[in-house]
Amino acid sequence: MKDSIRFSTLRAEMARKRITIKQIAEKVGVNRDTMGGKLSGKRPLFLNEAFTINRAFFPDKDVIELFKELYEDDETKM
């Protein structure tokens, strides 16, 4: 997973709606660099942050689909 784009579904939806990392960062309450690190997998993305992003920007999308890489990462640890 390290070589692929992290949160590819989320990134595609961001592009469709022209939503920037900065806009998401502001809504979550972190700076743009921190959010960039979270979306690239270099920093942890917390559940409450995923729900905030989902509700604020993509309420018509399933949170598990937007952040499926988190779920897939958990599956490989079992």
Side-chain angles (χ1 to χ4, degrees):
M1 186 62 58
K2 288 183 177 32
D3 293 336
S4 65
I5 295 174
R6 189 82 168 160
F7 306 123
S8 57
T9 303
L10 173 67
R11 300 264 186 173
E13 292 299 322
M14 287 171 65
R16 279 188 199 96
K17 292 188 171 190
R18 292 185 165 89
I19 295 170
T20 66
I21 293 173
K22 183 178 178 187
Q23 289 172 297
I24 290 176
E26 289 171 354
K27 189 67 175 176
V28 171
V30 299
N31 69 42
R32 190 255 177 247
D33 291 339
T34 298
M35 184 52 64
K38 289 174 178 284
L39 297 182
S40 68
K42 295 176 184 170
R43 293 176 177 244
L45 179 73
F46 299 108
L47 183 60
N48 64 318
E49 294 169 334
F51 281 125
T52 297
I53 293 165
N54 181 231
R55 281 192 305 266
F57 298 101
F58 312 103
D60 57 325
K61 300 294 178 188
D62 181 62
V63 71
I64 293 173
E65 182 62 23
L66 287 175
F67 298 97
K68 64 185 171 192
E69 290 88 345
L70 291 176
Y71 180 74
E72 291 167 352
D73 287 350
D74 260 2
E75 288 287 303
T76 61
K77 293 177 186 173
M78 294 180 150

mmCIF file of all heavy atoms in Angstrom, residues 17 19 30 33 52:
data_model
loop_
_atom_site.group_PDB
_atom_site.id
_atom_site.type_symbol
_atom_site.label_atom_id
_atom_site.label_comp_id
_atom_site.label_asym_id
_atom_site.label_seq_id
_atom_site.Cartn_x
_atom_site.Cartn_y
_atom_site.Cartn_z
ATOM 1 N N LYS A 17 -15.301 17.338 -6.606
ATOM 2 C CA LYS A 17 -15.967 18.479 -5.963
ATOM 3 C C LYS A 17 -15.050 19.687 -5.788
ATOM 4 O O LYS A 17 -15.461 20.682 -5.197
ATOM 5 C CB LYS A 17 -16.514 18.053 -4.590
ATOM 6 C CG LYS A 17 -17.660 17.069 -4.682
ATOM 7 C CD LYS A 17 -18.262 16.856 -3.319
ATOM 8 C CE LYS A 17 -19.546 16.055 -3.416
ATOM 9 N NZ LYS A 17 -20.255 16.037 -2.136
ATOM 10 N N ILE A 19 -12.478 20.064 -3.836
ATOM 11 C CA ILE A 19 -12.228 20.298 -2.414
ATOM 12 C C ILE A 19 -10.733 20.137 -2.175
ATOM 13 O O ILE A 19 -10.136 19.148 -2.595
ATOM 14 C CB ILE A 19 -13.050 19.321 -1.551
ATOM 15 C CG1 ILE A 19 -14.541 19.619 -1.733
ATOM 16 C CG2 ILE A 19 -12.645 19.415 -0.087
ATOM 17 C CD1 ILE A 19 -15.458 18.590 -1.141
ATOM 18 N N VAL A 30 -6.928 21.235 11.904
ATOM 19 C CA VAL A 30 -5.473 21.063 11.850
ATOM 20 C C VAL A 30 -4.943 21.924 10.706
ATOM 21 O O VAL A 30 -5.715 22.426 9.898
ATOM 22 C CB VAL A 30 -5.064 19.584 11.654
ATOM 23 C CG1 VAL A 30 -5.550 18.719 12.812
ATOM 24 C CG2 VAL A 30 -5.578 19.029 10.328
ATOM 25 N N ASP A 33 -0.449 21.155 6.334
ATOM 26 C CA ASP A 33 0.628 20.166 6.300
ATOM 27 C C ASP A 33 0.288 18.921 7.116
ATOM 28 O O ASP A 33 0.571 17.806 6.699
ATOM 29 C CB ASP A 33 1.942 20.771 6.786
ATOM 30 C CG ASP A 33 2.503 21.799 5.819
ATOM 31 O OD1 ASP A 33 2.125 21.765 4.622
ATOM 32 O OD2 ASP A 33 3.325 22.624 6.252
ATOM 33 N N THR A 52 -15.783 13.475 10.468
ATOM 34 C CA THR A 52 -15.949 14.906 10.212
ATOM 35 C C THR A 52 -15.842 15.200 8.720
ATOM 36 O O THR A 52 -16.662 15.929 8.153
ATOM 37 C CB THR A 52 -14.905 15.725 10.999
ATOM 38 O OG1 THR A 52 -15.134 15.534 12.396
ATOM 39 C CG2 THR A 52 -14.990 17.212 10.666
#
